[in-house]
């Protein structure tokens, strides 16, 4: 299935010069969405994932159906202040300024095999921070799966030897 | 299955006096998560939904697996500035101040039957605004499904005659 047909290129969003890849036509189409989730789930199954992790908010769109399809649980990574119990936090650099992500300390168990799902691998900062949070809790990231990868940003370099599956490259 | 066993009550979050219902233990547990999604999907199937809509961000956690389970598409409702194409917006009152939600104009088709999925029905402001956006696009909200309903806030009064299914009442 040609998923590319379901991605809309929106020029100059959210700011001038950026070609935004709008994924909403894909998730709005039953067949394309199902195909994408099944491809992602096949990767997570092959990696023998125990649990799926996804970053707020678009990681939820892919991570929770993948978890459901594989009969696994899902653990969210969110901005500070959103998760109500004790969290581990990680701050990382953005192009301008910094961002911080948080995960509940008790939701990932030491030794678990984790697959991270998200819509987009761009510079890789979000995913690198997510990997560090998971590994700080004693679990192992056995794979990362993305709908889209922006190859020219070379985000996969930040993920070193972690296996990566991407459905669409730009 | 007793889903209540997977909800953690967190006192004074996000502010003093609020008893926050933490759903992360439920979504982190494969069986409880699967049970909840299957119950929600059964409701949406009975309502003959054509598409599932969910508000950012926790509506994504329930709405996208329900869409996947029923082989339907999913349409997100988000804050302004997050959706890249032309949107319809709705502003509604909160306890202090206002909130605005947006939906892409072309993703819901006139005449479609829509089920809205979210984690929580509290005062009902978010869901009422979501219903108004969907109906302004000419579609019909044939049901709303929630993991949790805070009965004492009487949010369902705002939804008038729309059928509601809730898995857990507090």
């Amino acid at each position: 299935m040609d998923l590319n047909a379901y991605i809309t290129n929106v020029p100059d969003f959210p700011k001038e010069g950026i070609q935004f890849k709008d994924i909403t036509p894909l998730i709005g189409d039953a067949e394309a969405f199902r195909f994408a989730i099944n491809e992602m789930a096949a990767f997570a199954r092959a990696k023998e994932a125990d649990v799926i992790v996804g970053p707020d908010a678009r990681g939820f769109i892919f991570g929770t159906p993948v978890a459901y399809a594989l009969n696994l649980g899902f653990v969210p990574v969110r901005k500070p202040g959103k998760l109500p119990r004790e969290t581990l936090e990680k701050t990382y650099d953005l192009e301008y300024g910094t961002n911080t992500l948080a995960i509940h300390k008790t939701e990932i168990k030491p030794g678990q095999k984790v697959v991270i799902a998200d819509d987009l691998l761009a510079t890789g900062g979000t995913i690198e921070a997510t990997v560090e949070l998971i590994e700080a809790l004693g679990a192992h990231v056995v794979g990362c799966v993305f709908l889209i990868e922006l190859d020219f940003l070379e985000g996969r370099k930040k993920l070193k030897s972690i296996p990566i599956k991407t459905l669409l490259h730009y």
Side-chain angles (χ1 to χ4, degrees), chain A:
Chain A
M1 186 169 197
D2 178 20
L3 291 181
N4 183 50
Y6 298 90
I7 305 295
T8 302
N9 199 55
V10 183
D12 300 322
F13 184 89
K15 55 187 180 183
E16 207 176 320
I18 294 183
Q19 301 285 318
F20 188 85
K21 302 295 179 190
D22 179 20
I23 63 169
T24 57
L26 187 149
I27 60 178
D29 183 273
E31 279 186 53
F33 183 55
R34 190 164 191 85
F35 180 86
I37 296 303
N38 286 345
E39 289 283 303
M40 291 174 144
F43 171 79
R45 185 187 291 114
K47 296 298 168 198
E48 300 180 338
D50 297 314
V51 63
I52 307 296
V53 169
D56 190 344
R58 285 180 298 194
F60 296 177
I61 290 175
F62 295 96
T64 57
V66 167
Y68 175 82
L70 297 178
N71 200 18
L72 298 175
F74 175 82
V75 175
V77 167
R78 306 197 72 180
K79 303 228 172 194
K82 293 281 189 180
L83 294 168
R85 290 180 290 120
E86 200 183 357
T87 59
L88 193 66
E89 298 190 358
K90 173 75 190 172
T91 298
Y92 61 101
D93 292 331
L94 296 175
E95 192 181 0
Y96 303 100
T98 63
N99 192 31
T100 302
L101 292 176
I103 192 168
H104 272 148
K105 281 188 176 173
T106 56
E107 251 147 46
I108 298 283
K109 304 283 182 290
Q112 278 189 320
K113 288 182 276 188
V114 178
V115 164
I116 302 170
D118 204 358
D119 65 327
L120 181 72
L121 179 59
T123 62
T126 299
I127 302 301
E128 183 183 32
T130 302
V131 169
E132 289 180 27
L133 287 171
I134 292 164
E135 296 192 337
L137 295 174
H140 309 296
V141 178
V142 295
C144 295
V145 62
F146 305 99
L147 179 68
I148 291 173
E149 182 171 351
L150 301 179
D151 293 341
F152 64 98
L153 292 174
E154 300 186 330
R156 65 168 57 215
K157 283 188 178 171
K158 288 206 179 76
L159 299 177
K160 303 188 182 79
S161 63
I162 298 172
I164 298 169
K165 181 183 170 91
T166 303
L167 305 191
L168 282 167
H169 291 266
Y170 294 102

